[in-house]
């Protein structure tokens, strides 16, 4: 967590000197790796509790947990001087996760993170960050995440509307407290100021603190995990921030393979799909 806090400070210092959209920008080629180690029982238990995962000590890691373990590496890369996008204002837009087999908490997991791709987006420039996790050299888990740096482009205006989404039936309603961002930040180490307090969130254009995107997808997966079949993959798109406090509805198809998180007004915050090993 100390290294992650240091990265946030470094990102705040270096961001004003970076210019997204600059022609010829390239990504660093570094691959950062943490030493292989099992998940620490205390932080893992706290993560399970705040995200709503069942807490069997012998159960496999939640599908999203390797991302949390590797996030300090991603932040170290994205706040480095040779990373072309400013980390301040960077928006997590989507994530894909694949689990090649269940990972047990006692296994020594070795995460590696690298920047894979820099692409033009109608609202700016998007970078794809890749995380891989190995046990004894075996690739057991991997993810790809999109982060958007917003800036003016020739196609800034929407060229096409999103495809209409089939409205999924409501399954559960969750009341999210105003301090959820602080509580999840203490567990995950992600203490981005937009999540911590209304005053710090307003500095970045939000009227109130917003929930972590990775908390919302983890909470949805904890609910989806109640259905038969082991979760193996997920694709989630972060559509709109959840302002805290909030009451949100988790919606899903009967099989639990497609899900969404929406507010009482009908605003969709998150959509996703999963596959299972039966």
């Amino acid at each position: 967590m100390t290294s992650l806090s240091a990265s946030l400070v470094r990102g705040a210092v270096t961001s004003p000197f970076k210019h997204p959209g600059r022609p010829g920008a390239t990504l660093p080629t570094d691959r950062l790796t943490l030493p292989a180690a099992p998940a620490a029982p205390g932080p893992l238990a706290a993560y399970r509790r705040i995200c709503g995962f069942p807490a069997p000590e012998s159960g496999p890691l939640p599908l999203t947990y390797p991302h949390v373990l590797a996030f300090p590496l991603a932040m170290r890369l994205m706040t480095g001087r040779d990373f072309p996008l400013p980390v301040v204002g960077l928006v997590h837009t989507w994530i894909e996760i694949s689990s090649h087999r269940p990972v047990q908490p006692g296994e020594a997991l070795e995460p590696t993170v690298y920047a894979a791709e820099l692409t033009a987006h109608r609202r700016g420039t998007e970078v794809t960050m890749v995380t891989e996790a190995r046990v004894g050299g075996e690739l057991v888990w991997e993810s790809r995440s999109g982060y958007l740096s917003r800036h003016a482009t020739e196609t800034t205006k929407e060229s096409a509307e999103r495809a209409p989404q089939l409205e999924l039936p409501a399954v559960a309603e969750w009341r999210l407290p105003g301090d959820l961002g602080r509580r999840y930040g203490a567990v995950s180490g992600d203490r981005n100021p937009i999540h911590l307090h209304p005053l710090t969130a307003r500095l970045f254009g939000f009227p109130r603190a917003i929930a972590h995107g990775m908390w919302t997808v983890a909470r949805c997966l904890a609910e989806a995990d109640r259905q038969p079949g082991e979760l193996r993959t997920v694709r989630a798109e972060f559509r709109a921030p959840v302002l805290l406090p909030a009451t949100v509805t988790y919606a899903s198809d009967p099989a639990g393979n497609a899900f969404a998180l929406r507010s009482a007004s009908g605003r969709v915050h998150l959509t996703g799909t999963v596959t299972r090993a039966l």
Side-chain angles (χ1 to χ4, degrees):
M1 291 187 185
T2 301
S3 62
L4 186 50
S5 298
S7 292
L8 287 170
V9 172
R10 183 169 61 247
V13 171
T14 60
S15 287
F17 301 99
K18 298 185 178 183
H19 305 285
R22 176 172 53 85
T26 59
L27 289 169
T29 58
D30 312 55
R31 288 179 176 244
L32 303 184
T33 301
L34 285 175
L44 174 58
Y47 180 82
R48 288 184 186 276
R49 283 194 300 271
I50 198 165
C51 296
F53 288 103
E57 297 301 323
S58 58
L61 296 181
L63 194 63
T64 47
Y65 197 59
H67 177 92
V68 173
L69 295 176
F71 189 63
L73 295 180
M75 283 297 296
R76 196 187 310 170
L77 266 180
M78 291 191 290
T79 57
R81 290 189 177 186
D82 54 349
F83 192 80
L85 304 180
V87 73
V88 173
L90 212 58
V91 179
H92 196 179
T93 50
W94 57 269
I95 186 169
E96 294 176 345
I97 298 174
S98 298
S99 172
H100 300 297
R101 69 163 176 81
V103 179
Q104 299 303 321
E107 293 187 280
L109 200 65
E110 183 183 71
T112 297
V113 172
Y114 61 93
E117 188 175 11
L118 200 63
T119 56
H121 186 280
R122 66 180 183 275
R123 293 181 177 171
T125 302
E126 188 173 75
V127 62
T128 299
M129 301 295 295
V130 176
T131 301
E132 299 173 345
R134 291 176 169 78
V135 173
E138 174 195 4
L139 181 65
V140 295
W141 182 100
E142 57 187 317
S143 74
R144 296 173 67 86
S145 284
Y147 295 91
L148 174 65
S149 179
R150 295 181 179 180
H151 59 82
T153 71
E154 293 182 359
T155 56
T156 295
K157 291 185 178 180
E158 296 287 344
S159 56
E161 295 294 327
R162 286 180 183 270
Q165 298 286 324
L166 179 66
E167 182 158 324
L168 300 169
V171 174
E173 184 178 271
W174 304 326
R175 294 187 178 184
L176 312 184
D179 67 347
L180 176 62
R182 293 191 292 277
R183 291 167 54 205
Y184 182 79
V187 169
S188 66
D190 183 356
R191 293 184 173 88
N192 188 317
I194 63 175
H195 304 300
L196 303 183
H197 194 277
L199 290 177
T200 54
R202 285 187 198 119
L203 296 175
F204 297 92
F206 297 100
R208 304 196 300 273
I210 66 172
H212 291 73
M214 284 306 299
W215 180 88
T216 62
V217 71
R219 184 66 187 88
C220 289
L221 291 180
E223 195 71 26
D225 208 17
R226 299 175 188 270
Q227 297 284 350
E230 178 185 288
L231 296 179
R232 281 298 179 87
T233 70
V234 61
R235 163 83 190 199
E237 294 192 21
F238 304 106
R239 303 274 296 275
V242 178
L243 299 174
L244 298 172
T247 299
V248 294
T249 298
Y250 170 79
S252 172
D253 66 348
N257 294 329
F259 61 88
L261 193 69
R262 59 181 184 250
S263 62
S265 67
R267 189 179 195 191
V268 177
H269 300 285
L270 173 76
T271 59
T273 56
V274 299
T275 63
R276 303 170 187 273
L278 298 175

